[in-house]
């Protein structure tokens, strides 16, 4: 990070920053370039996409590279302006009366003072009056706090919001004023090879090392690991296209499937992918890892477990049978 540019926008070497941040991500080259360009230009941005699509990972990498904090806020009906701006400590007010010293910074004021990113997840679940408070901070780069004064944002302060376009239960429609102050980027699931690489990395297999915390019964590089990762990614991706599923699982489901299946295979003494008991190990791990991550269509007359069984049967029974000679 270097000297400030015009209009309070920091001057950064985006080429060097991109290279260093990209080393912390799997894929996402285009999205990284667009997000980095927007925040380097001093813009606030909303990221639209399902969970588990590397939005948080990307922001953590950028803020770590810039040496600034990333403050998380969950948007919901309880996110009042006081919760996001801050409050006066009641005990100190009783002793000392109201003053700037008795004020406890909320995440917005903390991010403004430190020049950090305020990352608001489920942005469209926040109340309208809270969004109006954010509008002032985004438009003027400062807010007036009663009995404290005007808080002016440091040059690197940004508001980054995220929304899930599929899950609209309990959400509110954002006003034109909000949309007008935010850049927007849609981030979808990564492709199969990228998710395969992510699962190997998170399962501790990227460098041929055992999975984290798995001692003795863990997953080690080899045929079983390779097959588990391949099957986990394929099964997880299939949840996103099933007719009864409104929103499928992110790659986090595939990661957990692999990590659960590894000790389960050890417990059942399944030595490799050619063991006839291997498919059932994957099925049981699939139910544990993904049944809470898929969201069914409201009209679907089924259960997550049944949907996952169908996906498992299609992968392990129907497709191999169709491909068999004769």
């Amino acid at each position: 990070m270097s000297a400030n540019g015009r209009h309070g926008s920091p001057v950064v070497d985006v080429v060097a920053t991109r290279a260093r941040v990209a080393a912390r991500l799997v894929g996402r080259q285009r999205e990284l370039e667009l997000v980095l360009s927007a925040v380097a230009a001093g813009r606030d941005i909303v990221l639209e996409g399902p969970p588990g699509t590397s939005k948080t990972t990307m922001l953590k990498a950028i803020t770590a590279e810039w040496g600034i904090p990333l403050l998380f806020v969950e948007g919901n009906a309880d996110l009042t302006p006081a919760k996001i701006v801050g409050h006066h400590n009641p005990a100190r007010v009783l002793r000392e009366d109201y003053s700037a010293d008795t004020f406890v910074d909320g995440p917005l004021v903390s991010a403004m003072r430190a020049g950090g990113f305020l990352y608001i997840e489920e942005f469209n679940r926040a109340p309208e009056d809270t969004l109006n408070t954010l509008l002032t901070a985004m438009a003027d780069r400062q807010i007036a706090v009663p009995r404290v004064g005007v808080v002016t944002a440091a040059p690197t302060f940004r508001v980054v919001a995220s929304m899930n376009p599929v899950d609209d239960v309990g959400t509110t429609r954002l006003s034109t004023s909000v949309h007008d102050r935010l850049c927007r980027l849609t981030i979808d699931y990564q492709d199969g090879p990228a998710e395969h690489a992510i699962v190997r990395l998170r399962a501790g297999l990227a460098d041929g090392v055992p999975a984290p915390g798995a001692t003795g019964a863990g997953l080690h590089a080899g045929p079983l690991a390779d097959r588990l990762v391949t099957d986990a990614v394929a099964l997880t991706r299939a949840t996103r296209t099933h007719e009864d599923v409104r929103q499928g699982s992110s790659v986090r489901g595939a990661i957990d499937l692999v990590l659960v299946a590894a000790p389960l295979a050890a417990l059942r003494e399944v030595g490799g992918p050619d063991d006839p008991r291997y498919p059932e190990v994957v099925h049981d791990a699939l139910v544990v890892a993904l049944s809470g991550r898929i969201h069914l269509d409201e009209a679907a007359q089924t259960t997550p477990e049944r949907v996952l069984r169908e996906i498992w049967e299609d992968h392990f029974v129907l497709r191999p049978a169709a491909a068999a000679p004769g």
Side-chain angles (χ1 to χ4, degrees):
M1 193 54 85
S2 61
N4 296 339
R6 296 169 57 189
H7 307 297
S9 176
V11 177
V12 297
D13 184 344
V14 291
V15 176
T17 300
R18 178 189 62 183
R20 290 191 289 265
V21 171
R24 308 182 188 206
L25 299 172
V26 176
R28 291 297 183 209
Q29 182 74 14
R30 174 180 176 272
E31 291 84 356
L32 172 59
E33 290 178 350
L34 292 171
V35 172
L36 185 58
S37 296
V39 295
R43 303 301 93 191
D44 303 303
I45 188 169
V46 59
L47 307 176
E48 287 193 24
T53 48
S54 300
K55 297 186 291 294
T56 303
T57 302
M58 190 186 315
L59 294 173
K60 283 182 177 179
I62 293 174
T63 51
E65 175 62 29
W66 284 12
I68 59 176
L70 176 65
L71 289 89
F72 291 88
V73 173
E74 182 181 351
N76 54 52
D78 296 327
L79 185 64
T80 62
K83 286 185 177 180
I84 199 167
V85 173
H87 65 279
H88 288 272
N89 183 305
R92 292 194 61 185
V93 167
L94 288 174
R95 294 195 308 267
E96 308 167 25
D97 205 355
Y98 287 99
S99 71
D101 291 336
T102 65
F103 187 74
V104 180
D105 291 352
L108 172 60
V109 171
S110 294
M112 293 177 73
R113 293 191 199 273
F117 286 11
L118 178 65
Y119 181 36
I120 308 172
E121 297 184 298
E122 305 290 349
F123 186 60
N124 51 343
R125 296 180 186 275
E128 184 176 0
D129 54 349
T130 303
L131 296 181
N132 289 337
T133 301
L134 292 169
L135 283 179
T136 303
M138 289 189 288
D140 303 330
R141 287 351 233 188
Q142 61 181 25
I143 58 170
V145 180
R147 300 184 178 91
V148 174
V150 175
V151 176
T152 301
T156 51
F157 166 71
R158 303 284 182 273
V159 173
V160 182
S162 70
M163 299 191 304
N164 182 354
V166 177
D167 185 7
D168 57 4
V169 177
T171 61
T172 57
R173 183 176 176 274
L174 298 180
S175 68
T176 303
S177 298
V178 173
H179 282 296
D180 192 51
R181 286 171 171 81
L182 288 165
C183 293
R184 174 180 173 272
L185 176 64
T186 299
I187 299 181
D188 206 348
Y189 294 111
Q190 292 174 286
D191 59 24
E195 291 196 336
H196 192 279
I198 291 171
V199 174
R200 289 191 65 85
L201 177 66
R202 301 304 179 198
L205 295 166
D207 299 313
V209 297
T215 56
L219 182 65
H220 299 265
L224 178 61
D226 293 340
R227 178 68 184 277
L228 268 178
V229 172
T230 299
D231 288 338
V233 171
L235 291 165
T236 299
R237 291 177 66 84
T239 66
R240 304 169 196 163
T241 55
H242 192 281
E243 60 182 4
D244 291 326
V245 178
R246 187 165 180 264
Q247 180 170 311
S249 173
S250 73
V251 71
R252 295 189 186 114
I255 295 167
D256 280 4
L257 196 164
V258 170
L259 293 178
V260 171
L264 184 60
L267 287 170
R268 296 180 180 177
E269 299 181 345
V270 174
D274 296 328
D275 190 309
R277 296 168 297 170
Y278 168 79
E280 198 61 34
V281 166
V282 174
H283 170 266
D284 291 347
L286 176 70
V287 172
V288 171
L290 271 70
S291 61
R293 285 185 163 101
I294 63 174
H295 304 280
L296 304 185
D297 188 277
E298 293 179 357
Q301 300 296 313
T302 187
T303 65
E305 289 78 11
R306 289 176 183 170
V307 167
L308 294 174
R309 183 72 185 188
E310 290 177 16
I311 291 172
W312 177 87
E313 288 178 349
D314 183 56
H315 183 75
F316 281 101
V317 180
L318 299 182
R319 290 183 185 176

